[in-house]
Amino acid sequence: MSKRTMLDKIWDAHVVEQAEGKPSVLYIDTHLIHEVTSPQAFAVLRERGLKVRRADRTFATMDHAIPTRKLAFDLWPTEAAVQVQTLRKNCEDFGVTLFDLQGEDQGIVHVVGPEQGITQPGATVVCGDSHTSTHGAFGALAFGVGTSEVSHVLATQCLMQEKPKCFAVNVEGRLGPGVTAKDLILAVIAHIGTGGGAGHVFEFRGEAFRSLDMAGRMTVCNMSIEGGARAGMIAPDETTFEYLKGRPYAPQGEAWDRAVFRWRELPTDEGAVFDREIHLKASDIAPMVTYGTNPGQAIPVNGDIPDPESMSSEEEKRATLQALDYMALRPGSKIAGQQVDIVFIGSCTNGRLEDLRAAAQVVRGKKVRDNVRALVVPGSKHVMKAAELEGLDRIFQESGFEWRNAGCSMCLAMNDDKAESGKYVASTSNRNFRGRQGPGARTMLMSPSMAAAAAVHGEVVDVRQL
Amino acid sequence: MKPFDRVVSKVVPLRADNVDTDQIIPAKYLTTVSKKGLGKGCFHALRYQEDGTDDPSCPLNQPVYQGASILISGSNFGSGSSREHAVWALTDYGFRAVIASSFADIFYNNSLKNGLLPVKLAPGQVEELMQLAQSKPESKIQIDLEKQTVVSPEGREYGFSIDSFRKSCLLQGLDDLGYLLQMIPVVEKYEERVAAGI
């Protein structure tokens, strides 16, 4: 039998129909939805008189547009409130499970899915959100779709898809002290470029990924899309099974044992061939900081901001010039020492308990620098509760951080959490696009411990030297 | 979906790589529950200055490009967020086609589902058309989906590729949902097979 990649195995198991000259009809096991990209899809169902075909495979939460200030309901822009009400009504009318803002299970869709055990190895998972790639950390094929495709999955549980190619990202060895999953994925994206993975699914391989906990693996897969790949995946192993066991939607009892046997067959066969492959060494990776306006424009914290004149192509030169102009950063200067005005710790990339612990460890007993505004936004209500049980909320608040409710918050500036024009934001989120965190805001992406250190020092510092 | 066969239009040059969907439509416009009216937020940060007035340096604001329904840009167009609102914003603004040297995967798919034609050309060809759009803004080019060609005013022809299934859907204005709904009996059999562990 031919050697197959994990992508091949999951893909083959989900092809419902393959007609000549047409894309595959791919079965979707799990559909996650949220308030922003679903209303127009439900509208299609209503127009055509269709039902949600498998409401039991569909789960909803509220995260993008909601406020995260405590008791901030009065701050709601009317449109966002309408959007949340629309999701409530759609879930009620179509029988979809909703992790409501009022309940205990609400949070960012890519934190909630894994936390509830909804995300499982070998499954196909989609959501109207590009960071759906997060769920690939469990050895699932998970990718973001547009709202039209949300309506297709709601109505038929299927999508028409061309099979993507497979791109093996091998990183050997373990990360050094102070170097995290965030730095690892930023280094990978800096290596291949922000569009480098287009048309592919990443398979992250090697000890650097194997040795990460599930939170770290989710951080890595989350940012696959920032390298241009719709999905990223890591083979399931004992770490995966241990994380999932006993979670509300995970199989129980005998069904669990059977599932684990099945999941153990998922990893790529030895000798299987990838369409593309790169090899990096973990020991070469330092804490990373972005200096530009796409996530591929990242450098080691001890590195120099690149000089556009040194770029090989006209396009790169132009892109770097435009980025540095927007960021108001000087070519050739150090990124370390760059002033920081706002610190945002949270998002589907780095809003999990492990991320908050890492940040709290840095700020414990220290104060946020004067003139720095710092906020921590847990990825879900469960993360928030667990952090509060450990006293992390007190550590953050005593240092001068704001402690918020769960949501996407300043990652995409859809609610009232926006960075002001011209301000430098040390952010644990995933995108440093122009205006992403607010019109004119200047984002520098980094790990939770690096962002925490930036809050305390008021500038970018190398967390390894603290 | 509005069928696409051919478009003849002036071309708006947007000289940048990695134009992400946050730039095409900022998140503050995503609180709508409708697909309509997003054109007003299309390229908001490029079109308007901080005081809310038009930025005259933006080609979209220059009178010569008014009424254009083709946009041309660099590589990795439509990267980032999966928001289909980016496509709805472009079509609501009046665009029927985008020419670029490469597109982000999700944006490309979303375009095809809304009758917005993504035309991928080689970087050198994009550069030729970009220069034409900048130096002779009045020039109209033709995009013919049936023939899979872009034709410049001087008659220079650039071929582009597109998946044959997607092409026929665009030409006929068909979306995937009709086809998928016909597949339901096959889907049910698939589900039975999986449940039985076959």
Side-chain angles (χ1 to χ4, degrees):
Chain A
M1 196 171 156
S2 66
K3 310 285 186 195
R4 294 191 300 164
T5 64
M6 182 160 56
L7 170 64
D8 293 332
K9 294 179 189 182
I10 301 176
W11 185 272
D12 293 350
H14 288 86
V15 174
V16 171
E17 171 86 358
Q18 181 64 70
E20 181 77 25
K22 288 197 172 75
S24 311
V25 175
L26 192 72
Y27 193 78
I28 303 303
D29 294 313
T30 302
H31 189 195
L32 305 170
I33 60 176
H34 62 83
E35 77 276 23
V36 176
T37 58
S38 67
Q40 295 88 348
F42 279 107
V44 169
L45 263 56
R46 290 183 192 278
E47 278 161 28
R48 299 205 186 190
L50 299 167
K51 290 180 179 158
V52 173
R53 198 170 158 270
R54 294 297 299 265
D56 58 325
R57 292 183 175 276
T58 314
F59 301 87
T61 187
M62 302 163 165
D63 52 6
H64 281 65
I66 57 163
T68 62
R69 283 178 205 280
K70 307 276 176 186
L71 303 171
F73 291 92
D74 52 332
L75 289 176
W76 275 47
T78 325
E79 272 205 331
V82 168
Q83 211 165 42
V84 161
Q85 271 311 116
T86 305
L87 182 63
R88 276 196 187 117
K89 178 153 177 34
N90 283 333
C91 289
E92 205 178 298
D93 291 357
F94 290 91
V96 172
T97 302
L98 169 65
F99 302 118
D100 195 282
L101 200 49
Q102 317 288 4
E104 289 182 351
D105 301 323
Q106 173 268 341
I108 305 176
V109 62
H110 310 308
V111 177
V112 170
E115 187 173 81
Q116 293 291 330
I118 294 168
T119 307
Q120 293 173 17
T124 46
V125 182
V126 300
C127 173
D129 188 283
S130 61
H131 291 112
T132 306
S133 56
T134 310
H135 308 266
F138 292 80
L141 174 60
F143 53 92
V145 295
T147 297
S148 295
E149 292 182 317
V150 171
S151 71
H152 303 164
V153 181
L154 287 175
T156 70
Q157 209 59 30
C158 292
L159 282 176
M160 298 191 74
Q161 293 288 305
E162 296 288 350
K163 188 180 174 187
K165 292 180 176 155
C166 198
F167 187 152
V169 176
N170 302 280
V171 183
E172 290 312 321
R174 284 174 176 252
L175 298 168
V179 186
T180 68
K182 182 64 163 288
D183 306 304
L184 174 57
I185 186 63
L186 282 171
V188 169
I189 300 166
H191 185 83
I192 64 167
T194 185
H200 292 77
V201 166
F202 292 134
E203 184 180 323
F204 297 106
R205 297 163 63 84
E207 195 190 1
F209 302 108
R210 287 256 78 78
S211 58
L212 294 174
D213 60 14
M214 288 314 295
R217 293 182 189 185
M218 284 190 256
T219 300
V220 166
C221 291
N222 172 275
M223 290 191 71
S224 300
I225 184 68
E226 313 310 335
R230 274 176 91 180
M233 44 172 68
I234 295 176
D237 60 10
E238 297 311 315
T239 305
T240 322
F241 308 146
E242 198 181 310
Y243 174 99
L244 274 176
K245 194 166 190 182
R247 295 199 177 252
Y249 289 88
Q252 314 287 338
E254 212 181 299
W256 169 262
D257 296 334
R258 281 202 305 273
V260 172
F261 269 98
R262 220 169 46 239
W263 295 341
R264 285 191 203 282
E265 293 173 4
L266 287 167
T268 293
D269 298 332
E270 209 172 312
V273 179
F274 297 97
D275 299 291
R276 269 181 80 187
E277 201 157 359
I278 58 163
H279 293 268
L280 301 174
K281 280 194 193 131
S283 56
D284 291 342
I285 298 172
M288 300 290 285
V289 181
T290 61
Y291 62 87
T293 53
N294 74 57
Q297 291 172 318
I299 49 173
V301 63
N302 48 4
D304 296 335
I305 294 167
D307 185 349
E309 293 305 321
S310 68
M311 299 285 165
S312 53
S313 74
E314 278 304 307
E315 290 79 43
E316 264 186 279
K317 186 174 159 180
R318 187 179 66 231
T320 312
L321 267 171
Q322 287 172 341
L324 293 183
D325 180 55
Y326 179 83
M327 293 295 290
L329 292 175
R330 211 157 36 86
S333 60
K334 295 276 179 204
I335 193 80
Q338 170 56 45
Q339 179 199 316
V340 167
D341 306 300
I342 299 170
V343 173
F344 170 62
I345 297 174
S347 84
C348 59
T349 313
N350 280 130
R352 296 182 181 80
L353 185 60
E354 292 81 349
D355 301 312
L356 305 195
R357 281 181 187 149
Q361 199 182 345
V362 173
V363 304
R364 184 193 295 270
K366 303 195 177 84
K367 292 282 178 207
V368 169
R369 193 68 165 229
D370 288 347
N371 302 324
V372 173
R373 179 181 159 214
L375 57 157
V376 181
V377 186
S380 72
K381 286 238 178 92
H382 284 287
V383 170
M384 186 175 81
K385 289 272 155 57
E388 287 172 355
L389 266 175
E390 292 181 16
L392 303 185
D393 58 325
R394 286 198 307 280
I395 294 173
F396 283 120
Q397 284 174 307
E398 282 164 14
S399 298
F401 276 86
E402 295 172 43
W403 178 250
R404 296 295 193 82
N405 283 330
C408 299
S409 181
M410 203 186 276
C411 174
L412 84 164
M414 256 203 89
N415 65 5
D416 54 322
D417 299 327
K418 289 183 176 67
E420 297 81 8
S421 184
K423 299 288 188 195
Y424 287 94
V425 192
S427 181
T428 67
S429 55
N430 39 57
R431 288 186 174 137
N432 51 343
F433 297 159
R434 293 158 181 266
R436 168 86 176 178
Q437 298 192 289
R442 296 167 176 151
T443 303
M444 294 181 288
L445 302 175
M446 58 189 81
S447 73
S449 51
M450 285 283 288
V456 170
H457 292 267
E459 59 183 44
V460 175
V461 292
D462 187 342
V463 73
R464 296 171 302 181
Q465 289 170 6
L466 299 183
Chain B
M1 186 168 91
K2 195 173 166 183
F4 188 109
D5 53 356
R6 191 183 304 148
V7 59
V8 177
S9 166
K10 292 188 281 193
V11 182
V12 184
L14 188 57
R15 192 178 269 285
D17 294 327
N18 305 312
V19 172
D20 56 72
T21 52
D22 275 79
Q23 286 182 66
I24 300 171
I25 186 81
K28 68 172 178 174
Y29 290 100
L30 307 191
T31 50
T32 177
V33 294
S34 161
K35 295 179 183 178
K36 300 198 176 87
L38 283 158
K40 68 177 187 295
C42 191
F43 291 117
H44 187 275
L46 284 175
R47 279 161 67 197
Y48 304 108
Q49 304 182 102
E50 276 190 27
D51 63 5
T53 58
D54 285 5
D55 182 341
S57 71
C58 175
L60 291 159
N61 291 331
Q62 292 161 7
V64 66
Y65 294 113
Q66 294 315 300
S69 52
I70 301 173
L71 181 72
I72 188 164
S73 190
S75 64
N76 199 28
F77 187 87
S79 59
S81 161
S82 63
R83 58 187 71 167
E84 199 159 317
H85 308 68
V87 174
W88 301 332
L90 289 165
T91 54
D92 190 52
Y93 187 88
F95 289 115
R96 301 288 326 275
V98 180
I99 301 173
S101 54
S102 61
F103 291 90
D105 294 344
I106 303 177
F107 177 87
Y108 190 87
N109 271 319
N110 287 343
S111 300
L112 296 171
K113 291 175 173 57
N114 290 276
L116 178 73
L117 180 66
V119 178
K120 191 179 158 183
L121 295 178
Q125 298 175 325
V126 170
E127 184 56 33
E128 281 177 29
L129 290 167
M130 180 82 76
Q131 284 181 12
L132 176 77
Q134 285 183 318
S135 61
K136 295 179 186 163
E138 296 286 357
S139 311
K140 286 188 176 173
I141 66 166
Q142 174 181 278
I143 302 176
D144 188 323
L145 177 57
E146 181 62 55
K147 291 187 187 153
Q148 296 180 216
T149 56
V150 177
V151 187
S152 75
E154 300 87 42
R156 183 180 287 229
E157 217 172 88
Y158 306 87
F160 64 90
S161 62
I162 183 167
D163 174 78
S164 59
F165 174 75
R166 294 298 170 198
K167 176 179 170 179
S168 73
C169 287
L170 276 170
L171 286 169
Q172 297 170 71
L174 296 176
D175 65 13
D176 293 1
L177 190 49
Y179 179 79
L180 286 171
L181 286 168
Q182 287 172 13
M183 296 302 300
I184 292 291
V186 185
V187 179
E188 281 168 355
K189 286 212 181 73
Y190 170 86
E191 285 174 329
E192 282 164 22
R193 277 203 313 275
V194 171
I198 302 165

